[in-house]
Amino acid sequence: MVAIDEAVFLDGPPCVVVDRVKMTYKVPSSIERSTSTRKGIRGSLRKLLGRENLVTVSALKELSLVVERGESVGIIGRNGSGKSTLMKLISGQAAPTDGAVYASSTPVLLGVHAALVPDLSGDQNVVLGCLAMGMDMDEIDQRFESIVEVSGLDSAIYLPMKSYSSGMASRLRFAIAAAVNPEILLVDEALNTGDAQFNDRSKARMDELRAQAGCVFIVSHSLDTIRNMCTRVIWLDKGELIMDGSSEETTNLYQEFSSNLSKGNNITAARIRDEARANLVATQIMERSSGRRMEGR
């Protein structure tokens, strides 16, 4: 990931630019390349030597995005659509096969599987997590109460993490990640805790982050979470960008698509997806002599 140089933007830099990014993987396959390798000496020798048959999988097809300050972007789609791959590319956890990602500061990724130490108490994990994000002990002391308040754990903050439910652990992860006022926050399936009060607190916290000229990305299978917390929604399907629009419009169309799929109306579902894709106005990122300039959607 490359930091955005403010000098090359005429209207000031956005928070995140995804510039013609693609992501492919080489994965092993049990399907033989041909019948000649399935049978006979060559096939047996290859298996004996442990040579795997590798195939190329396209996790994310060419995609460009410009995310401005103050936006809260939801990312929706079926399993395997490329949501988590896009989050990894934006956060810098993975490098794209093609293209580039530019960010105005280091994104903070909050995922369900973010590492915490089960044998330590919640308050000890708060200290460790905040230290890892660059805070000193004075800052941690100042923000400790607000972290506990956002998490809603109350006295449970002093219990071992291994005694927490998955929802409690997710709430604490969010509270820790959001405590450092990151300019770019990425939330991957960490808000579906079923706790209405926490949803209100987390939404209020993300509103604060966006008000501080930051942006938020949220991956969630809960369309209610996306509608309540996002100003813009991106719909991915099989690694392809299908729709990039308002929260209400995009989630409604995706819900109609999903409903038809669940009822076995595959032709209708495909028509809904294809029409949405056909109406997509793609982001164009153009090269200029003075540097890069983003043309938004």
Side-chain angles (χ1 to χ4, degrees):
M1 178 158 39
V2 182
I4 295 175
D5 182 354
E6 296 192 19
V8 302
F9 298 99
L10 298 182
D11 302 321
C15 275
V16 172
V17 175
V18 179
D19 183 3
R20 289 161 286 192
V21 156
K22 294 181 184 178
M23 191 66 179
T24 58
Y25 297 101
K26 292 282 189 179
V27 297
S29 172
S30 61
I31 299 177
E32 300 290 351
R33 292 174 184 165
S34 67
T35 55
S36 64
T37 58
R38 183 177 296 125
K39 297 178 181 180
I41 296 176
R42 284 190 301 168
S44 299
L45 181 61
R46 189 169 62 82
K47 290 179 180 179
L48 183 63
L49 294 176
R51 296 177 183 172
E52 295 180 309
N53 179 25
L54 297 179
V55 297
T56 300
V57 175
S58 180
L60 206 61
K61 299 176 183 177
E62 185 173 303
L63 181 152
S64 293
L65 298 170
V66 176
V67 179
E68 305 290 349
R69 298 174 184 278
E71 287 195 285
S72 180
V73 181
I75 305 174
I76 60 176
R78 295 182 285 176
N79 289 335
S81 62
K83 303 186 300 296
S84 293
T85 297
L86 179 57
M87 293 284 268
K88 288 178 181 177
L89 295 178
I90 295 172
S91 69
Q93 287 191 339
T97 307
D98 291 296
V101 178
Y102 301 86
S104 57
S105 65
T106 302
V108 174
L109 174 63
L110 169 66
V112 169
H113 304 295
L116 291 174
V117 183
D119 289 330
L120 297 182
S121 62
D123 64 309
Q124 290 172 321
N125 274 288
V126 168
V127 173
L128 288 177
C130 290
L131 286 173
M133 291 187 293
M135 296 170 60
D136 59 34
M137 288 305 300
D138 288 338
E139 291 175 305
I140 297 172
D141 287 340
Q142 292 171 8
R143 300 183 189 183
F144 181 81
E145 293 300 329
S146 64
I147 292 173
V148 176
E149 182 180 356
V150 170
S151 73
L153 292 177
D154 299 323
S155 59
I157 195 69
Y158 301 106
L159 298 179
M161 281 289 306
K162 61 185 177 183
S163 69
Y164 288 7
S165 67
S166 59
M168 293 168 70
S170 293
R171 298 202 304 268
L172 183 58
R173 276 189 281 269
F174 175 83
I176 294 171
V180 294
N181 295 323
E183 184 179 16
I184 304 169
L185 176 64
L186 301 97
V187 184
D188 193 351
E189 289 291 357
L191 298 178
N192 300 336
T193 66
D195 185 325
Q197 290 183 332
F198 171 71
N199 289 341
D200 290 341
R201 290 192 299 270
S202 58
K203 182 179 185 302
R205 183 69 186 111
M206 285 195 288
D207 287 344
E208 290 177 4
L209 292 173
R210 290 192 293 110
Q212 295 167 4
C215 68
V216 180
F217 293 84
I218 303 174
V219 168
S220 179
H221 286 287
S222 169
L223 293 184
D224 286 339
T225 297
I226 295 294
R227 288 190 187 101
N228 291 335
M229 297 189 178
C230 299
T231 57
R232 171 184 173 189
V233 176
I234 293 166
W235 171 12
L236 299 176
D237 193 66
K238 296 181 179 179
E240 185 175 17
L241 178 60
I242 303 299
M243 190 171 181
D244 180 357
S246 68
S247 174
E248 196 70 21
E249 182 183 13
T250 308
T251 55
N252 285 347
L253 205 56
Y254 176 72
Q255 192 167 35
E256 185 180 356
F257 166 78
S258 299
S259 177
N260 276 281
L261 273 185
S262 66
K263 295 174 182 177
N265 301 329
N266 295 344
I267 295 176
T268 302
R271 176 182 56 78
I272 293 170
R273 181 195 59 209
D274 293 345
E275 288 180 357
R277 179 68 182 85
N279 291 327
L280 175 69
V281 178
T283 297
Q284 299 295 320
I285 300 178
M286 300 182 296
E287 300 286 351
R288 292 191 176 181
S289 58
S290 59
R292 290 181 181 273
R293 175 166 173 75
M294 268 38 86
E295 299 294 337
R297 57 191 176 86

